[in-house]
Amino acid sequence: MGAEQDNPIVIPPAVAAALVSGTHADPFSVLGPHPGPDPGQRRLTVFDPGAVEMAARIGAVDHPLAPVAGARGLFAGLIPGGDYRLYGQAFGQDWLVEDAYRFGPVIGEMDEYLLAEGTHRRLWSVLGAHVMTHEGVAGTHFAVWAPNAARVSVVGPFNAWNGRRHVMRRRGASGVWEIFLPHIGEGETYKYELLTAAGTVLPLKADPVGFGAQHAPETASVVRDIRGYGWRDAAWMAARGKVAAIDAPISIYEVHLGSWRRKGERALSYKELAEELIPYVAEMGFTHIELLPISEHPFDGSWGYQPVGLFAPTIRFGPPHEFRDLIDAAHAAGIGVLLDWVPGHFPTDAHGLGRFDGTALYEHADPKEGFHQDWNTLIYNFGRTEVKNFLVSNALYWLEEYHIDGLRVDAVASMLYRDYSREAGQWIPNRDGGRENYEAIHLFQEMNATVYEALDGVVTAAEESTSFPKVSAPVYDGGLGFGFKWNMGWMNDTLSYIQMDPIHRKHHHNQMTFAMAYHYSENFILPISHDEVVHGKGSMIAKMPGRGDEKFAHLRAYYGYMWTHPGKKLLFMGCEFAQGREWNHAQALDWALLDYPQHRGMQAWIRDLNRVYRTEPALYRHDCRPEGFRWIDADAADLSLYTFLRFGDAGDPALAVLCNFTPVQRVWTTGLPAGGAWEVLLSSEDPLYGGQGGGEGRVTARAQPHQNLDYSTDVTLLPLSVTILKQKV
């Protein structure tokens, strides 16, 4: 590099020591180019702990920098104007790199203002790792919120994971740190190294707004360029509101991507799922799929419900664009995609959000508010503006960036109540002395108001297991603002009933009717989810009483009741073909069961229930309004019979549903709202579905009043069956 020069730049020893130790609060004020003593000159200070000699190369000329005494790796000198690169040497090796400290900030004033205010709704557009060209050079901009840190550095293979190398620039009151690293791009791994106010170096942290992550057990974030995907779903996006409307048929297939099907020991990729899952769902007649959480999570056994990377589709099945391939394929097939979203808690893994900058940043400091005893996880501080914005922004992110059609929010009840699963003395009351969590309520209201205002055709649903009022009422009406609520009461009551020996059902008749007493208080989804087929609960077919064919008859009748009962439908994968064992997240569903007629028949039953549900307005038009339903007879407890009517709009054929939950065949006189012919639209005992057959294919209603209806007919109710009659018009 030529002869050494005396160092013309005076750097105080304390400043030099702070730069070398990585404890300087503002390295950009010293490192990089700064005005020199004379016009046309610049002071340049560089820190590279691996260098023995350093120069600034401008054009073809090297301008040597002198080492700073007592500060190994620190060099300084005067250089002329012009773009430069750093040329370093050590022990026979040399390198030529861009100087990260010569680049100005990326975050603009308006973004900084919104970040400081905690109201930046598209947080992911500023924070995280963004591949870009800045000041004419390609690289990646890193930004992270850590307001209480004394120093934040981005580390990775590009700097030997050395936190002294790329200390970030703090952006004022926002508490955000940023740096542009030239020539870093797609696929690079990185983490953040944070120094606490007390001088402690924390375990390396993954990026809270990172768009990608490594495969477990590795825990680094991965730079992913999420720009530029070629969406082909414009027609779907323009019309999808009709698919998720309150008066539309909504039938949801809940899926855990890692165990739907597998190839050998591995799960299918997003692209393989696009080719296999989507055609299957379309063939089965479901309108939507609902994915168990796909945000990055360290532990397979959490099924995604303990996420660390809320902005990263899990790498288990492929990178972000391949996840988009799955969504695009679903939309091409006319299928909506709902995402299970988890704002209720996050794990304590050292690389995660817990005590992110050395303080309780995302969580409450007091474990009575900030620690979830059931799951040994941390609870977000919903009352902190920046944290609430982080979550609301994340909800918007999935809907905007990945064209997700809706969010199902997990464990809402655990968020709504401060005493959820806590004994006396283990929780902190709200400001009025009550148990309601006002901050969580405001989060839900803000999230729902934000996404419904920002995007057409999206839908949100709450898994809420209590009688909290107005979950699916609009925010302007004092509600939480969700589009739908899971009816956990219906699920618990009806599953309890169907598991009983039929001889006992007459004593529990109201378990099948009670839901109609409150059905119109919310917009309900009837869920048979993954939670009902794990943790020793057994599969749906295993819950049924009896043996052999009788178990299948019970389950077909139960599904028939579910699909004809008011409310949207949700069924977990495998339940549609009577999976024999309970669900195991590490194994594929038992698709070989479809070699057996009863399992194929169950699958065909669900397919045809979906077909009839989607084509008969009486079964969906007024799912959430009282004009769509009327009991014919809700009181035949001794016979375990339930009969009711479903109605669409004027001119739509009415349907009569006749349910026999005993193994006894009966000839039953039922009232009907119109005379003439009524055809059997579906019967769960049709041999096509594995049933025994029998009964009429058509009945005629006579003008003889019965059960407060003007007409009636006699119909054979087969054992353990559901029969759907359709008015011929």
Side-chain angles (χ1 to χ4, degrees):
M1 288 189 185
E4 291 188 5
Q5 60 182 22
D6 291 334
N7 199 331
I9 307 299
V10 177
I11 299 177
V15 172
L19 290 170
V20 171
S21 64
T23 58
H24 196 286
D26 184 14
F28 276 88
S29 66
V30 182
L31 299 179
H34 295 273
D38 299 316
Q41 282 188 322
R42 292 175 294 173
R43 293 182 299 113
L44 178 62
T45 306
V46 175
F47 176 61
D48 185 339
V52 173
E53 296 183 43
M54 182 64 65
R57 178 170 292 180
I58 301 175
V61 178
D62 290 340
H63 301 269
L65 303 176
V68 176
R72 181 175 177 177
L74 193 64
F75 302 85
L78 296 174
I79 64 171
D83 290 341
Y84 68 90
R85 287 184 289 173
L86 299 176
Y87 178 50
Q89 288 186 344
F91 310 112
Q93 295 184 334
D94 61 357
W95 55 93
L96 188 66
V97 296
E98 296 280 2
D99 181 6
Y101 288 91
R102 80 171 178 86
F103 294 92
V106 172
I107 298 174
E109 289 185 8
M110 179 54 70
D111 283 330
E112 185 177 359
Y113 172 79
L114 293 173
L115 290 170
E117 195 178 53
T119 59
H120 200 301
R121 281 292 179 260
R122 288 167 177 79
L123 204 61
W124 73 91
S125 69
V126 183
L127 302 186
H130 291 266
V131 178
M132 62 172 60
T133 297
H134 180 50
E135 297 179 6
V137 177
T140 296
H141 174 247
F142 298 87
V144 64
W145 180 58
N148 302 305
R151 184 259 291 169
V152 182
S153 304
V154 61
V155 297
F158 46 84
N159 60 17
W161 300 93
N162 188 333
R164 299 178 297 154
R165 292 287 302 277
H166 292 121
V167 179
M168 304 170 79
R169 173 192 284 115
R170 180 170 181 137
R171 294 304 301 271
S174 69
V176 169
W177 302 71
E178 69 163 337
I179 193 170
F180 175 78
L181 297 188
H183 305 313
I184 299 295
E186 169 78 22
E188 186 64 82
T189 56
Y190 70 99
K191 283 186 175 181
Y192 293 115
E193 182 181 281
L194 295 93
L195 185 70
T196 72
T200 302
V201 177
L202 296 172
L204 297 182
K205 294 288 189 176
D207 191 343
V209 190
F211 304 136
Q214 287 182 298
H215 286 277
E218 302 300 326
T219 57
S221 297
V222 176
V223 175
R224 294 294 182 190
D225 188 352
I226 63 172
R227 303 170 299 173
Y229 182 77
W231 289 104
R232 297 167 298 228
D233 63 350
W236 166 269
M237 296 293 284
R240 65 178 175 175
K242 298 176 182 178
V243 180
I246 198 169
D247 60 355
I250 298 178
S251 181
I252 303 165
Y253 188 60
E254 189 189 32
V255 179
H256 176 260
L257 292 180
S259 59
W260 181 71
R261 280 183 184 157
R262 296 175 74 89
K263 289 193 174 180
E265 295 300 313
R266 72 167 178 85
L268 299 184
S269 68
Y270 291 127
K271 293 181 77 69
E272 290 169 329
L273 288 159
E275 296 168 355
E276 298 185 31
L277 171 64
I278 300 307
Y280 177 78
V281 173
E283 179 186 357
M284 288 298 296
F286 290 96
T287 64
H288 293 75
I289 56 174
E290 181 173 300
L291 305 180
L292 267 65
I294 56 88
S295 296
E296 196 57 78
H297 50 282
F299 177 45
D300 285 352
S302 78
W303 316 331
Y305 287 99
Q306 294 188 14
V308 163
L310 278 187
F311 290 80
T314 178
I315 191 60
R316 287 166 173 82
F317 317 117
H321 276 353
E322 293 188 8
F323 178 57
R324 286 177 162 129
D325 289 337
L326 174 61
I327 308 306
D328 217 26
H331 290 169
I335 296 167
V337 182
L338 310 177
L339 196 63
D340 208 334
W341 187 57
V342 188
H345 61 128
F346 60 93
T348 59
D349 296 67
H351 70 285
L353 298 180
R355 298 193 67 82
F356 186 79
D357 63 0
T359 68
L361 186 63
Y362 287 90
E363 72 273 32
H364 288 275
D366 190 331
K368 291 181 179 180
E369 295 184 281
F371 187 75
H372 218 306
Q373 298 177 130
D374 288 357
W375 301 311
N376 293 322
T377 51
L378 300 171
I379 301 172
Y380 289 104
N381 182 353
F382 307 122
R384 182 163 189 165
T385 301
E386 298 93 338
V387 174
K388 180 172 66 174
N389 186 65
F390 172 78
L391 294 170
V392 172
S393 183
N394 180 249
L396 196 59
Y397 166 79
W398 290 108
L399 301 171
E400 286 197 355
E401 291 290 341
Y402 290 94
H403 288 199
I404 296 297
D405 301 294
L407 302 173
R408 175 266 190 183
V409 183
D410 177 63
V412 168
S414 74
M415 302 168 68
L416 289 176
Y417 299 102
R418 288 175 164 270
D419 64 345
Y420 182 87
S421 198
R422 295 179 186 273
E423 301 295 331
Q426 296 181 342
W427 59 282
I428 298 174
N430 61 36
R431 62 178 178 267
D432 298 318
R435 58 195 289 259
E436 294 80 9
N437 189 328
Y438 295 154
E439 293 79 13
I441 291 169
H442 293 153
L443 167 68
F444 291 136
Q445 291 175 325
E446 195 163 317
M447 183 276 291
N448 282 309
T450 298
V451 301
Y452 275 112
E453 180 181 2
L455 296 157
D456 292 331
V458 298
V459 64
T460 61
E463 183 211 15
E464 203 285 309
S465 55
T466 73
S467 57
F468 192 91
K470 293 188 172 184
V471 171
S472 57
V475 173
Y476 62 75
D477 191 31
L480 296 185
F482 288 96
F484 294 96
K485 171 180 171 174
W486 278 24
N487 194 338
M488 309 297 283
W490 176 91
M491 179 272 297
N492 285 316
D493 287 346
T494 59
L495 278 184
S496 172
Y497 177 91
I498 201 65
Q499 292 179 78
M500 297 176 190
D501 188 293
I503 198 171
H504 300 304
R505 288 176 179 165
K506 63 184 179 181
H507 303 297
H508 301 271
H509 192 76
N510 68 328
Q511 289 185 212
M512 298 291 272
T513 62
F514 179 61
M516 290 311 302
Y518 61 83
H519 180 77
Y520 304 110
S521 63
E522 301 279 2
N523 302 327
F524 280 122
I525 293 172
L526 310 182
I528 297 298
S529 74
H530 63 280
D531 280 327
E532 311 322 315
V533 293
V534 289
H535 299 319
K537 296 178 183 178
S539 66
M540 286 297 289
I541 193 67
K543 297 179 196 296
M544 300 300 111
R547 304 180 66 180
D549 287 352
E550 189 177 357
K551 295 176 77 71
F552 285 88
H554 279 289
L555 186 55
R556 287 194 303 271
Y558 179 76
Y559 286 154
Y561 185 77
M562 173 179 174
W563 253 258
T564 54
H565 190 285
K568 311 307 180 184
K569 325 300 174 189
L570 180 140
L571 190 67
F572 184 57
M573 64 182 199
C575 296
E576 79 277 13
F577 63 80
Q579 166 93 0
R581 58 178 173 82
E582 73 174 29
W583 172 56
N584 182 336
H585 74 275
Q587 297 178 8
L589 299 178
D590 294 329
W591 293 101
L593 290 175
L594 290 173
D595 292 338
Y596 298 93
Q598 286 287 18
H599 294 276
R600 287 200 308 274
M602 189 68 70
Q603 185 188 51
W605 177 234
I606 294 297
R607 180 198 64 209
D608 285 357
L609 283 172
N610 274 331
R611 173 180 56 80
V612 169
Y613 175 58
R614 295 178 67 168
T615 57
E616 296 295 333
L619 287 178
Y620 66 79
R621 184 70 70 202
H622 302 293
D623 252 338
C624 303
R625 292 187 288 264
E627 54 265 41
F629 177 88
R630 175 179 171 176
W631 287 111
I632 300 174
D633 191 339
D635 299 319
D638 286 345
L639 303 179
S640 298
L641 298 182
Y642 305 85
T643 56
F644 52 90
L645 297 168
R646 297 298 308 275
F647 301 101
D649 294 331
D652 293 328
L655 300 181
V657 182
L658 315 173
C659 308
N660 178 11
F661 285 105
T662 65
V664 178
Q665 181 169 305
R666 306 182 190 281
V667 176
W668 182 253
T669 301
T670 183
L672 290 171
W678 289 68
E679 67 175 338
V680 175
L681 191 60
L682 281 181
S683 168
S684 64
E685 279 300 287
D686 190 314
L688 176 65
Y689 311 125
Q692 300 303 307
E696 303 87 355
R698 174 181 299 204
V699 297
T700 301
R702 55 189 177 265
Q704 183 175 334
H706 187 64
Q707 296 168 320
N708 294 316
L709 293 165
D710 292 336
Y711 300 86
S712 61
T713 191
D714 300 325
V715 62
T716 301
L717 301 183
L718 299 172
L720 299 173
S721 70
V722 168
T723 302
I724 306 174
L725 300 178
K726 178 180 179 179
Q727 176 189 358
K728 295 292 288 182
V729 294

